[in-house]
Amino acid sequence: MILHCIQARFGYLLVGLIFIAVIGLCEGGLTSSYVRSNGLSSDMPLDSDVFRVPPGYNAPQQVHITQGDHEGRGVIVSWITPNESGSNSVLYWAANNQIKKTAIGIVVKYKYYNYTSGYIHHCTIENLEYDTKYFYEIGNGDVTRQFWFVTPPRPGPDVPYTFGLIGDLGQTYDSNRTLTHYELNPMKGQTILFVGDLSYADSYPFHDNTRWDTWGRFVERNAAYQPWIWSAGNHEIDFVPEIGETKPFKPYTHRFFVPYKSSKSTSPLWYSIKRASAYIIVVSSYSAFGMYTPQYKWFTNELSKVNRTETPWLIVIMHCPMYSSYVHHYMEGETMRVMYEPWLVKYKVDVVFAGHVHAYERSERISNIAYDVVNGLCTPINDDSAPVYITIGDGGNQEGLVKEMTEPQPRYSAYREASFGHGIFDIKNRTHAYFGWHRNQDGFAVEGDSLWFHNRYWKSMGETSTAVL
Ligand SMILES: *[C@@H]1O[C@H](CO)[C@@H](O)[C@H](O)[C@H]1NC(C)=O
Ligand SMILES: *[C@@H]1O[C@H](CO)[C@@H](O)[C@H](O)[C@H]1NC(C)=O
Ligand SMILES: *[C@@H]1O[C@H](CO)[C@@H](O)[C@H](O)[C@H]1NC(C)=O
Ligand SMILES: *[C@@H]1O[C@H](CO)[C@@H](O)[C@H](O)[C@H]1NC(C)=O
Ligand SMILES: *[C@@H]1O[C@H](CO)[C@@H](O)[C@H](O)[C@H]1NC(C)=O
Ligand SMILES: [Fe+2]
């Protein structure tokens, strides 16, 4: 923090530096000088290699997996068969064990205006061994397809684990670059935390849902092998009463099943999971979240349930950022901030990841919870119990980057840059995690921004270190 100020304002006198150190925050962080071209990236055409339909009659396509229980011993396998329902089962076996087991799933379908979906299969495999590679097979006869995944280690405080962060992906050439960079990043993400806005099918006339199918085929190359932890963005709402589509989130909730019941949630739009040393809470920016609502009741209760001795890393993901200093979507997250920020601080959440704003930004550890309408205290202040807020809505969709920033850069904003990219949150042990942001223009290993995280809970318990923020 102090070092950062020194770097940013090395021209100041020592007296100035001491003053800055005392007030704790320098006036604004870093705005990257990196400037993107204005060219908007277009969606990849329907005949692109990434959208290819797997060969064979009724072959399973759009295969993707996510965590299937609360602890990490379950996996939900989802896929679509285009012509008929076909087999509902998943055959699976551990790589070190030839005994094959079968899990039986369900199939759903939906209509959207004049589009009819294929047969959407969801099959939950339970009671897997921790930290084990499994193969799985879906489909019938000559269109059987085989994939694999690795289960996470048993939850525990010092279990290293590496999460990837992707948001607002879409299906443009830039989206493909982001996914490729994630795949080739030597940090090797093991699970993606996806911060909402998936396919952008809603940018087509009548929300042409065939663009949901192309998106499913595009991400299969990664999502069939490692879990993507889903959260819903505004492009998942698909609410178009003019054409009779009055049920929000219809395509999203049919296509992406999540284990919400295992965290006692009543909606797939908010839920939690444990994974290795992390406790991940997904909230919905576009569902009622005020006092007395189901989400509020669940969220506030959920925070108090987290055992930081077991899972020290408390991560919250949502679509709309609470702190963003870009002009586009400015203050859209303000209502949720007012309601939820005191809880994030009280329970010492380590980091909040959001998307929505098509750029990258990282905050200082700040809070803004003192305001009570009449006292005038409405400026964020340094807060050691507060999370770092990271906006990572720079996956690459066709709406392009947002470059217009509020000026001057607010003091709470540590780093901001309008470039496409992805993030890696690499947990080392109960006290340390390393975050890196990777822009698509750079080599796979290059970090455009990075930060050592010092676990909020263990820091508050007196564990000390001078090396990190
Ligand atoms: C199976 O479904 C696909 C996609 O809808 C279609 O292109 C293909 O013609 C169908 N095959 C048969 C034999 O009906
Ligand atoms: C759905 O309706 C639109 C607009 O009338 C039309 O362009 C499109 O071809 C239709 N699609 C199907 C699958 O019927
Ligand atoms: C997408 O990226 C993959 C992997 O880099 C590449 O093989 C493929 O050709 C790309 N497709 C398009 C349409 O850019
Ligand atoms: C929290 O987790 C630790 C480690 O797994 C366990 O020993 C302890 O009993 C748990 N505490 C509660 C209150 O469940
Ligand atoms: C935790 O990880 C950090 C970073 O790798 C390391 O410096 C520290 O010594 C580790 N702590 C323990 C208790 O191993
Ligand atoms: Fe969005």
Side-chain angles (χ1 to χ4, degrees), residues 102-370:
T102 301
I104 310 289
I106 63 156
V107 62
V108 296
K109 273 189 94 135
Y110 72 92
K111 288 187 191 298
Y112 192 93
Y113 185 52
N114 63 357
Y115 166 93
T116 304
S117 76
Y119 299 83
I120 308 172
H121 303 255
H122 301 285
C123 178
T124 305
I125 310 175
E126 287 173 314
N127 297 318
L128 296 163
E129 295 300 323
Y130 286 116
D131 210 1
T132 302
K133 181 171 182 176
Y134 283 89
F135 291 97
Y136 68 99
E137 244 175 49
I138 51 178
N140 307 72
D142 56 350
V143 291
T144 296
R145 299 185 67 203
Q146 191 186 101
F147 305 89
W148 53 263
F149 57 76
V150 180
T151 53
R154 179 190 297 278
D158 292 307
V159 186
Y161 204 75
T162 310
F163 291 97
L165 279 307
I166 294 183
D168 303 68
L169 186 57
Q171 43 192 307
T172 69
Y173 293 100
D174 284 312
S175 321
N176 197 31
R177 262 171 228 131
T178 300
L179 188 55
T180 302
H181 275 243
Y182 172 66
E183 289 165 335
L184 298 179
N185 189 328
M187 296 288 281
K188 292 214 175 304
Q190 295 166 286
T191 290
I192 286 186
L193 304 180
F194 193 92
V195 294
D197 282 0
L198 285 64
S199 74
Y200 289 76
D202 61 351
S203 61
Y204 287 83
F206 310 101
H207 293 209
D208 183 359
N209 275 220
T210 57
R211 279 286 175 174
W212 271 110
D213 291 315
T214 53
W215 195 80
R217 295 198 290 271
F218 161 49
V219 299
E220 180 192 273
R221 73 177 199 239
N222 189 271
Y225 299 93
Q226 64 170 257
W228 287 37
I229 306 305
W230 303 108
S231 63
N234 52 307
H235 290 279
E236 277 68 69
I237 301 175
D238 284 313
F239 173 72
V240 194
E242 307 88 275
I243 59 171
E245 292 305 336
T246 55
K247 195 175 180 301
F249 302 106
K250 192 205 267 180
Y252 172 73
T253 52
H254 279 83
R255 289 166 184 270
F256 301 93
F257 272 28
V258 297
Y260 67 97
K261 286 177 186 157
S262 60
S263 56
K264 307 275 190 294
S265 164
T266 49
S267 165
L269 300 172
W270 57 87
Y271 63 100
S272 71
I273 57 164
K274 291 182 201 172
R275 201 162 177 89
S277 41
Y279 199 101
I280 294 147
I281 299 183
V282 174
V283 297
S284 172
S285 304
Y286 306 102
S287 307
F289 53 77
M291 204 82 169
Y292 317 121
T293 61
Q295 182 168 213
Y296 183 91
K297 194 171 172 186
W298 177 85
F299 177 70
T300 52
N301 189 38
E302 189 64 17
L303 284 168
S304 69
K305 288 199 307 207
V306 182
N307 179 346
R308 303 290 283 272
T309 304
E310 185 191 31
T311 49
W313 294 95
L314 180 50
I315 300 172
V316 173
I317 65 178
M318 60 183 61
H319 185 61
C320 188
M322 293 184 179
Y323 284 99
S324 166
S325 71
Y326 288 86
V327 170
H328 202 56
H329 299 311
Y330 190 59
M331 287 189 61
E332 281 181 22
E334 189 64 6
T335 43
M336 187 181 259
R337 187 190 67 71
V338 170
M339 292 307 299
Y340 286 5
E341 188 183 19
W343 296 90
L344 303 176
V345 174
K346 178 175 179 195
Y347 287 99
K348 298 188 165 57
V349 169
D350 290 293
V351 57
V352 176
F353 290 108
H356 199 43
V357 175
H358 299 157
Y360 171 73
E361 184 165 24
R362 171 173 60 82
S363 79
E364 304 285 0
R365 288 196 185 277
I366 40 85
S367 72
N368 189 9
I369 53 182

